[in-house]
Structures are given as C-alpha cells and as structure tokens.
Amino acid sequence: MSKLEGMVALVTGAARLRGIGRAIAVRLAEDGADVIVTGLDRDPSRLPPHEQEQGWKGVESVAEEIRAMGRKAIGVHCDVTKPDQIAECVARGESELGPITGLVNNAGIASEAAAASILDMSDDLWHHTIDVNLNGVYNMVKAVGQSMRANGKGGAIVNISSLAGRMGFANYGGYCASKFGVVGLTQQLALELAQHNIRVNAICPGSIDSDMLDGTIGRKAEIAGMGLEEFKAQYNLGIIPMKRRGTPAEQAAAAAFLLGPDAGYITGQTLNVDGGYRMD
Ligand code: NAI
C-alpha cells in the first residue's frame, strides 16, 4: 500500500508550474493521497512566458496532472489571507474528497523585491508579507485544524518556513520575521494539537530553483548589472556545502515524509532541506 493511501491533503500556493507547491501536490498524489490543490486566481495574461507557452491553467492544471495519475484532485482558488475563501475551499474540498487529514502551508511571498532596509521599506509591504506568510498559516491551520478536530481522524500539518526562518538576511523586509514566526507557530501548534492526534512540523528550504528564487535573485542581478542566469550561476553557491541549488521535488519528498506514517512520532520539529547550509 502507498504510504499516503487514504489521506486527503490540501496544499496552498500550488498554482505555479515551477513552484514547490505543485511539486508537493504531485508527490503526495504519487504517494497515494487525494489532493485539494489551492492557489491564487491569476490573470492568464500576466503569467510568465514558460507558463503561457504551456497553456498553463494554474491549480486546474495541477489537479488535471494528479487525476491523470489515477488519484482524485480538485483545483480551488483560495487566497490564504481571506478567511471566507478558506472556509469555502475547505467545505468544498471535504464535500468532494472527504475529511482533510493532511495540510501543507506552502503559500508565501518574498519581500526582497523591494531590496530595501527595514528602515526604508513601505509599511504596506511589511504588513502584506506578514499577512500572507504568517497570518495565512494561522488562517489555514485554524480552519483545517477545527475540521480535523471535529472529524476525529487525526492528521498531519507541514508548514513551509525558510532558511530565513532560522537566521536573518538583510533587505528581506518582513520575510525573515514571518518565517521565524512560522517556526514558532509550528512548535506551539504541535503542543496544542497532539491531544487530537495531529502532528505539526516545518520545513526550511534553502535556495530552491523556482520562479520566486528567480524573482529575488533577478533583483540582485539587476543591481549588480548582470543577467539572471550569469548571476545565478555564481550567487551564493559557494556557501552551500552541496554546491548546488535544491529542486522543488526535494522539498516535496521531505513534506511527504513528514505527512506520512514514517514520521508518526515526529512533531514540533523543523527540518532544514538546504544542502547543508544550516545545521541547527
Ligand atoms: P512560488 O512563488 O512559486 O510559490 C509561492 C506560491 O504562493 C505561488 O503560487 C503564489 O501564487 C502563492 N501565493 C502568494 N500569495 C498567496 C496568497 N495570498 N494566497 C495563496 N497563495 C499565495 O515560490 P516557491 O519557491 O515555490 O515557494 C514556496 C514556499 O517555499 C514559499 O512559502 C516560500 O517562502 C518558501 N521558500 C522558498 C525558497 C526558494 O528558494 N524558492 C526558499 C525558502 C522558502
């Protein structure tokens, strides 16, 4: 039997072709889960060229990919900062696929695009970053956690934090504070939810090839007057012991492990998946 057989999992922020969220949704399905694939409703004309070329339809494309693997999946537009959308999403997901027993809080934004010190960044950017990256996890956990508690089946939650939730990075605006917050929330939730047989863990990805990374590195490349690929080929690789960036699939493997039965006695932990960059 596949390790996640019988699990209904909800993944947030899974609408992008090259994203960690999509990789997680697909990996959970490979391991046997049915998946509620959620993400923002994005304007098709503003999708990046590699998504437009493929006729990418966001969460619906990911759900189709999973159904083609023989698992159940639905794509639902859901903004993690909007409790009313979350309530609708959870209700629809559970009525179509059954009670949710796995949740991956992956949605996030990187504020470094501003490349400004806290002293100079806009208040709006600070608040928006905290709202998506930290309040979004709170909103999701509250809605899905209440449902898990009510259905009495237990479950597992994985929160995607960041290396920036382990150490400070200059000019990342509210990103570090929000991701440290996710680690703290993970530990608190693990204590509160253990009595309901719900485990809660976090993952700290290092430097992972995705559109988000290209966005943040692209800004640095611009400042350095270099092209993205040229800059990316040298930027920060020297300080990663494994001397390469990670893949979304490697994050997905860690999430599948933490959600599944092999991690049955693991809760409140934060796992760095970062090529050895950080060892505590
Ligand atoms: P990504 O930009 O492809 O994925 C983030 C997703 O969150 C996108 O699909 C975006 O549309 C979605 N999102 C943004 N605001 C949202 C909202 N209000 N409601 C719902 N969805 C929303 O980037 P990536 O790299 O796949 O990031 C996934 C997670 O991994 C994020 O939490 C990020 O902070 C974290 N991470 C990524 C790292 C990297 O190097 N790529 C490093 C460390 C952490």
Side-chain angles (χ1 to χ4, degrees), residues 169-190:
F169 285 86
N171 298 336
Y172 265 68
Y175 192 75
C176 291
S178 66
K179 293 297 189 177
F180 266 79
V182 168
V183 172
L185 182 57
T186 298
Q187 294 183 9
Q188 177 179 352
L189 286 165

Side-chain angles (χ1 to χ4, degrees), residues 12-16 38-43 57-59 76-82 85 107 109 128 132:
T12 68
R16 294 179 96 169
T38 77
L40 290 181
D41 187 6
R42 297 147 73 216
D43 175 353
K57 293 175 290 173
V59 290
V76 186
H77 291 137
C78 179
D79 181 331
V80 298
T81 68
K82 304 269 178 349
Q85 289 187 20
I109 53 170
H128 185 51
V132 175

Side-chain angles (χ1 to χ4, degrees), residues 195-211:
Q195 62 184 310
H196 305 297
N197 195 24
I198 301 168
R199 296 180 300 100
V200 190
N201 292 291
I203 291 174
C204 289
S207 189
I208 313 305
D209 241 322
S210 71
D211 288 346

Side-chain angles (χ1 to χ4, degrees), residues 96-182:
E96 295 193 30
L97 299 189
I100 297 168
T101 47
L103 169 65
V104 182
N105 286 307
N106 165 78
I109 53 170
S111 49
E112 194 215 16
S117 159
I118 289 275
L119 304 185
D120 303 315
M121 72 183 278
S122 78
D123 293 347
D124 282 354
L125 182 57
W126 169 270
H127 290 298
H128 185 51
T129 305
I130 302 290
D131 207 24
V132 175
N133 293 0
L134 180 57
N135 296 340
V137 177
Y138 162 77
N139 292 333
M140 288 304 306
V141 160
K142 195 159 186 187
V144 174
Q146 285 178 350
S147 163
M148 283 178 173
R149 180 177 61 185
N151 71 44
K153 291 170 72 126
I157 297 172
V158 172
N159 298 323
I160 307 298
S161 175
S162 170
L163 255 189
R166 294 292 219 188
M167 59 196 283
F169 285 86
N171 298 336
Y172 265 68
Y175 192 75
C176 291
S178 66
K179 293 297 189 177
F180 266 79
V182 168

